[in-house]
Amino acid sequence: MAKERPPDWMPDFSYATRVAHPSSSAPGLRVSRASSTPPRSANISDDEDSMCNITNRCSPKAVYTMVSKLSEFKKQLIRDIGFGGILDLPCINKVNLRLSAWLLTKLDTEDSELVISESRRIYVHERDVGIVFGLPCGEIDVASMDVTSEQIESIKSLCGLNSKDGRSFKGVEFVLEKHLDDRSSRIERDSFKIAFVIFVMGHLLAPSAKYDCGNLDFWGALKDTEMLERMNWCRYVYSHVLDAAQKARDEMIRKNRVTNLYGCHLFLQVLFLDNVDIRGLNKKHNILPRISVFDAESLKTMATMCESRDGSNFNSFVGLRAPNSTAYMRHMYQSVHNVTRRPVTPLPHTPLPLSSTHQGPSEQLTAETYTFREHADFGSYIRARYPTLVIDNVPTMNSVRFYVCMVTFYHCVPEQAICN
């Protein structure tokens, strides 16, 4: 079940140091290099059961339906292999495919970032997958576990899958639905554990492009159920997300639209909506795994708030939440694009209801004490000085507009006028 964190909680990052680029643990080498400039967003449907020419295999609804039928004994077996976070998956009947396509085209596979704009980047780390879904992030790389055809047949036999069923989810579902209790044999328990990993990978975490069948590239990790919790499932899942992003970019270049979605794009939705500032809709980062607080209504409402008026993108949010206020790895790692910039410590603010009036200026910050080095600093100053004043695209002003605004700000506009 979901666990509430104490106020001073932070993930255990004792193994890591803050770096200026994605670490070796961010699996960027498994995909081809791509340009840092994202293509335009796709014009596709909103959800998975809309009438649109799009292929989508990521189905959290299928996983939720299966999990809701499991006995407590079976759920404990799932917790034993480190997949207990999946038990907290809420009922999500529909996935906003247009948001997923947009996010996949915004994911820079070289720098491991969601590039919303030049000044708004969200660093993504493989361990963020564990923060969202509560998956094991062990020391053994799933991709390093080779599997022979004989071992594949052995796993099929262990799970009761005949050659006709093969990788079919129907055969896996039969194994998951078989009765289990404390009198069940070790083989029966192992069969259930393996079948559950195959099912959740195929329907949610790393879906295959082929209908009703899963990938085989992780079956080497299934040879010993005692080792499942020691596998780095976060890296495996994220590598498929990177592959999906590359395919989405390529498709945008060829067709100017995305028609096929791969990988766990739901992960990108949760990470994106959990790291952008939507004021009153922001969720507290005191519950893990994060997916447990993102039900269907939350995903729909937050996505709507970020969507532009013409529906072409989802960048209509106030800004990014401060890295040190989130549960994600971006508070430990920074992008290479942010190294040369002067760090600005965001001032905390309290989200206000829509009917509230603007607060007065911050008394701790003035134009005389703030150092302006580039035109983007003007937008940073305004947001820090007047935290509840909504101003869009200030950092994107050209140099002429910047200096005009600076002169106006210093000499012409009283602070009282700005507040009002």
Side-chain angles (χ1 to χ4, degrees):
M1 60 182 298
K3 299 180 180 179
E4 184 169 355
R5 305 180 323 187
D8 58 347
W9 178 92
M10 66 178 297
D12 180 13
F13 301 131
S14 57
Y15 73 97
T17 57
R18 187 174 181 86
V19 296
H21 54 82
S23 68
S24 60
S25 62
L29 298 179
R30 295 193 60 185
V31 297
S32 56
R33 298 293 181 179
S35 170
S36 296
T37 303
R40 290 180 297 144
S41 61
N43 181 21
I44 60 178
S45 177
D46 280 340
D47 50 68
E48 57 187 4
D49 51 354
S50 295
M51 299 299 293
C52 61
N53 297 321
I54 186 170
T55 301
N56 169 52
R57 305 301 184 202
C58 182
S59 177
K61 179 181 177 181
V63 177
Y64 173 83
T65 301
M66 174 57 68
V67 167
S68 63
K69 298 185 293 185
L70 298 179
S71 65
E72 184 58 35
F73 181 82
K74 290 181 178 179
K75 290 181 179 179
Q76 186 55 49
L77 293 180
I78 294 173
R79 297 186 187 100
D80 292 342
I81 61 175
F83 279 70
I86 301 299
L87 302 178
D88 296 315
L89 182 73
C91 181
I92 303 175
N93 292 323
K94 297 180 180 180
V95 178
N96 190 326
L97 300 183
R98 194 152 52 85
L99 173 58
S100 292
W102 184 77
L103 289 172
L104 285 171
T105 60
K106 293 294 182 181
L107 181 58
D108 190 323
T109 57
E110 183 174 355
D111 292 333
S112 191
E113 291 180 314
L114 283 172
V115 184
I116 313 304
S117 66
E118 183 60 30
S119 60
R120 297 193 290 185
R121 298 167 175 261
I122 302 175
Y123 175 70
V124 188
H125 193 277
E126 64 183 35
R127 285 192 170 238
D128 290 330
V129 177
I131 292 171
V132 171
F133 291 113
L135 298 181
C137 195
E139 70 277 13
I140 304 176
D141 193 343
V142 173
S144 67
M145 303 297 293
D146 297 329
V147 60
T148 64
S149 57
E150 291 79 10
Q151 290 171 330
I152 291 178
E153 293 302 320
S154 176
I155 294 174
K156 290 181 180 179
S157 176
L158 180 63
C159 292
L161 301 176
N162 55 41
S163 57
K164 183 179 180 180
D165 290 328
R167 299 180 286 164
S168 172
F169 294 137
K170 294 181 180 179
V172 173
E173 290 175 13
F174 176 77
V175 176
L176 294 176
E177 293 172 354
K178 291 176 62 176
H179 175 74
L180 281 182
D181 55 31
D182 54 359
R183 294 172 294 181
S184 300
S185 66
R186 167 70 181 275
I187 294 180
E188 291 174 322
R189 300 184 190 192
D190 287 349
S191 298
F192 173 83
K193 294 176 181 178
I194 294 174
F196 181 80
V197 174
I198 294 175
F199 183 85
V200 75
M201 287 293 167
H203 276 299
L204 177 64
L205 300 177
S208 168
K210 187 175 181 181
Y211 173 72
D212 197 35
C213 286
N215 294 305
L216 290 175
D217 57 352
F218 67 90
W219 278 41
L222 306 178
K223 294 181 293 185
D224 185 356
T225 58
E226 296 294 328
M227 301 289 289
L228 288 175
E229 195 171 13
R230 296 180 57 189
M231 299 292 170
N232 193 338
W233 294 105
C234 297
R235 177 178 300 174
Y236 174 78
V237 172
Y238 187 47
S239 68
H240 276 265
V241 173
L242 290 172
D243 287 336
Q246 185 60 56
K247 291 176 181 177
R249 284 166 170 263
D250 293 342
E251 195 169 23
M252 280 295 293
I253 295 174
R254 297 194 317 268
K255 304 178 181 179
N256 199 34
R257 68 192 301 261
V258 177
T259 59
N260 296 280
L261 297 181
Y262 304 97
C264 186
H265 45 84
L266 178 62
F267 159 69
L268 290 182
Q269 288 200 21
V270 173
L271 182 138
F272 169 72
L273 296 174
D274 218 9
N275 281 278
V276 297
D277 187 358
I278 323 178
R279 295 301 170 90
L281 295 179
N282 290 346
K283 293 183 177 294
K284 295 182 179 180
H285 287 207
N286 61 343
I287 300 292
L288 293 176
R290 298 303 299 153
I291 188 62
S292 63
V293 298
F294 281 88
D295 55 20
E297 188 62 28
S298 294
L299 290 170
K300 179 180 179 180
T301 304
M302 297 175 76
T304 301
M305 291 298 294
C306 293
E307 188 174 9
S308 61
R309 291 185 177 181
D310 61 1
S312 62
N313 58 63
F314 293 83
N315 59 9
S316 297
F317 49 88
V318 177
L320 299 182
R321 298 177 69 171
N324 58 5
S325 69
T326 73
Y328 294 88
M329 293 294 292
R330 57 188 286 254
H331 89 272
M332 284 292 295
Y333 291 81
Q334 62 182 352
S335 163
V336 293
H337 299 278
N338 295 329
V339 177
T340 58
R341 297 183 180 180
R342 179 178 55 83
V344 178
T345 303
L347 297 180
H349 68 275
T350 302
L352 296 176
L354 295 178
S355 60
S356 298
T357 58
H358 293 306
Q359 294 177 352
S362 171
E363 300 298 335
Q364 291 77 21
L365 189 65
T366 64
E368 289 74 17
T369 60
Y370 196 89
T371 303
F372 296 92
R373 300 183 180 179
E374 54 179 334
H375 70 268
D377 289 337
F378 180 68
S380 300
Y381 170 75
I382 290 297
R383 286 187 169 88
R385 176 70 168 159
Y386 308 99
T388 60
L389 184 63
V390 179
I391 301 178
D392 293 327
N393 299 325
V394 173
T396 62
M397 296 186 299
N398 57 35
S399 299
V400 175
R401 292 178 61 197
F402 165 67
Y403 286 114
V404 170
C405 287
M406 286 296 296
V407 171
T408 302
F409 183 78
Y410 276 119
H411 302 289
C412 301
V413 182
E415 290 193 344
Q416 184 64 28
I418 297 177
C419 295
N420 297 331

